[in-house]
Amino acid sequence: MRMLLGLIGLLLALLVVAWLVRSQLNAQMGVGSPPSSGQQGDRSQSASAALKQFKQSLDKALKARPASAAE
């Protein structure tokens, strides 16, 4: 059980790092072209919505009972 939780934590940390790297690469690629006036607002709103959805799904997963709890 401890190993399974460690593996889940490691995968979650890897997912967060991959998401951060991807967002940094996207930000660097966008530096070369001048942003339009509404484009930056759309990006920040979509990033905010994605972060909110991630937090909600994480909270839901943490509140859910594990499948092995029925033992």
Side-chain angles (χ1 to χ4, degrees):
M1 184 69 181
R2 178 182 259 174
M3 193 163 79
L4 180 63
L5 290 175
L7 181 62
I8 291 171
L10 183 64
L11 289 175
L12 184 60
L14 183 63
L15 178 68
V16 169
V17 169
W19 177 68
L20 289 173
V21 168
R22 183 176 175 210
S23 64
Q24 288 295 321
L25 288 176
N26 286 341
Q28 287 179 357
M29 291 178 68
V31 170
S33 63
S36 64
S37 61
Q39 188 178 11
Q40 187 66 24
D42 291 343
R43 283 184 185 171
S44 65
Q45 285 180 348
S46 64
S48 175
L51 183 60
K52 184 177 180 181
Q53 183 180 7
F54 175 75
K55 285 181 180 179
Q56 288 175 346
S57 63
L58 184 60
D59 287 340
K60 184 177 178 182
L62 289 173
K63 290 179 183 177
R65 292 180 55 136
S68 62
E71 293 179 30

